[in-house]
Amino acid sequence: MIKTRSFWKFLLALLIIGYFIFGGEHNVYQLMSLNYRARKLSDEIRRQEETTNRLRAEIRRLKTDRGYLEKIAREQFGMIKSGEKVFVVRPKER
């Protein structure tokens, strides 16, 4: 009789613990999943803020540093100053 009662108490405790872990509206499993997602989103926000800061620094430099602006215009857009000549060097054919 005592063993049977202990078994049922143990089973009831196990069911209650299982309910809090896997069941119910705010269970431990759901809480862990939400915490994981929150960490991932925080990491993504941090990366996006770093990208934003780099881009803002780039914009600031393009607005204030004429030499840098000229370098970008020449390298990325192939622009030249008036009066300059462009020489294209082609590799020698075999």
Side-chain angles (χ1 to χ4, degrees):
M1 184 83 164
I2 293 175
K3 287 184 178 183
T4 306
R5 220 178 262 182
S6 297
F7 172 76
W8 288 111
K9 285 181 182 179
F10 174 74
L11 186 60
L12 179 63
L14 196 59
L15 287 173
I16 291 172
I17 291 170
Y19 174 79
F20 284 115
I21 292 175
F22 298 108
E25 188 176 332
H26 303 289
N27 58 55
V28 174
Y29 177 75
Q30 185 181 19
L31 179 63
M32 288 171 43
S33 295
L34 290 174
N35 283 335
Y36 175 77
R37 185 164 181 234
R39 280 194 310 273
K40 289 290 188 185
L41 290 172
S42 292
D43 291 344
E44 180 64 24
I45 288 169
R46 182 186 47 77
R47 282 192 299 275
Q48 293 298 330
E49 285 174 344
E50 289 172 357
T51 299
T52 300
N53 291 336
R54 272 196 315 277
L55 291 172
R56 283 186 177 147
E58 178 80 6
I59 291 168
R60 194 176 318 109
R61 188 169 180 199
L62 286 168
K63 286 182 176 180
T64 58
D65 188 345
R66 301 278 303 173
Y68 182 68
L69 179 62
E70 183 179 328
K71 176 184 179 227
I72 296 298
R74 288 174 179 274
E75 291 176 358
Q76 292 185 7
F77 302 107
M79 299 178 91
I80 60 171
K81 290 182 180 179
S82 66
E84 287 184 331
K85 293 181 182 177
V86 176
F87 294 93
V88 179
V89 179
R90 294 188 178 145
K92 191 175 186 178
E93 291 185 28
R94 293 181 187 183

